[in-house]
């Protein structure tokens, strides 16, 4: 990493990530230049390069942060209770966590194509780790609808993340109604 | 529309749409220029403008074609049988139709942000029409898991379209296994 003055870097880092997230989500990774990101932060392009070596690193950092936060927050939320209570808790957690991070979720799915193979492999490993969390819960629930556990896991995750594509704050259904409906649907999918 | 020589336009149209689809899916709409699309087709930029007025029209045309084809193909597939047979048939149709059109599906979700408000409204109306097809089937099935029909419809569609994000030809599960697993899962979701 390039040398940075500690206090300036600490302030700039979160601002750079927030600006990059906003611009990538709005225009797509390939259409955004480092110069645009610098302008959005309100610094010169040179100052940006002191913080991050290139746009690829910035994209990877955003996706890595998203996955690390997802895994760490679930660790905190997970009460390690009985399997069925953990399943309900996971459904609630996944929906609300993703609704609160629409741009990061959008980028994490859409810009996988723009990661270098090495960076892609790292993000994929973290995604697999998260999928394994749900798969373990589904297996522990042992419902008669479990079927192929990996396939069922991916089907449930797609269903839950799909809420981000249509849910609007202040719309017909509030968050709690949505969460409870999905808790019931997921229970039925796996037959518990 | 600009004047075009019939035969040349008939040849160029599909080539332009195929090139635009490929480039938009790979790089994102905002990062692709008309010049790049022309180069991909193997014509001068001027020739491209004789076919289409601008990039926005091209994006809209791709999304419109995707939705028209989806709705028309379902009309053909739909045997109008008993509700439960129609539900199974819809699940099979949706998964296979989308797997065969990965780039178009990707663009249809990702580039909604880049449509003008007028074009967005038209695409949204076609999507609503397609959602209504499934909602009507779910209501006709009358399962005890129907819940809020619109919410259940969106949950099922997200689950089905999600197959595109992980399915790989020649992977662990073949198409038929995937289809049958989803048919069973969707039946359980709606309780039929």
């Amino acid at each position: 990493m390039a040398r940075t003055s500690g206090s300036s870097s600490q302030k700039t880092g979160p601002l750079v990530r927030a600006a990059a997230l906003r611009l990538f989500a709005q225009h797509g990774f390939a259409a955004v230049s480092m110069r645009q990101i610098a302008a959005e932060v309100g610094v010169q392009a040179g100052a940006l390069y002191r913080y991050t070596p290139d746009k690829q690193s910035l994209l990877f950092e955003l996706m890595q942060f998203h996955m690390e936060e997802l895994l760490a927050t679930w660790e905190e939320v997970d009460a390690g209770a009985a399997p069925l209570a953990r399943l309900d808790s996971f459904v609630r957690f996944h929906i609300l966590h993703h609704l609160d991070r629409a741009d990061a979720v959008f980028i994490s799915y859409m810009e996988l194509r723009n990661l270098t193979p090495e960076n892609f492999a790292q993000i994929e490993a973290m995604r697999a780790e998260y999928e394994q969390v749900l798969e373990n819960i589904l297996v522990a629930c042992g419902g008669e609808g479990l079927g192929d556990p990996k396939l069922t896991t991916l089907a449930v995750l797609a269903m839950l993340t799909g809420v981000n594509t249509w849910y609007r704050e202040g719309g017909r259904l509030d968050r709690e109604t949505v969460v409870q409906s999905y808790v019931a649907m997921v229970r039925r999918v796996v037959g518990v």
Side-chain angles (χ1 to χ4, degrees), chain A residues 67 71 90 124 126-136 150 153-154 157:
Chain A
M67 287 309 302
L71 287 161
F90 182 91
E124 274 295 280
M126 296 174 86
R127 290 167 76 110
E129 191 182 335
Y130 185 66
E131 288 163 15
Q132 194 63 53
V133 167
L134 177 56
E135 189 182 328
N136 291 347
K150 288 205 183 304
T153 297
L154 294 170
L157 286 175

Side-chain angles (χ1 to χ4, degrees), chain A residues 44-116:
Chain A
Q44 298 291 320
L48 194 57
Y49 284 105
R50 279 201 297 278
Y51 168 69
T52 186
D54 52 35
K55 211 169 58 145
Q56 172 69 215
S57 306
L58 213 37
L59 179 63
F60 175 67
E61 204 181 312
L62 289 174
M63 290 202 193
Q64 188 183 38
F65 177 81
H66 178 65
M67 287 309 302
E68 281 174 353
E69 188 194 35
L70 182 67
L71 287 161
T73 312
W74 168 249
E75 286 281 324
E76 282 170 28
V77 167
D78 184 18
L84 192 54
R86 285 185 82 205
L87 179 60
D88 294 352
S89 169
F90 182 91
V91 169
R92 172 178 297 274
F93 162 74
H94 185 99
I95 291 175
L96 298 180
H97 187 90
H98 284 70
L99 277 181
D100 286 336
R101 289 159 184 82
D103 281 352
V105 171
F106 186 75
I107 285 177
S108 292
Y109 279 80
M110 286 323 104
E111 302 295 3
L112 284 173
R113 60 185 169 178
N114 281 314
L115 288 174
T116 62

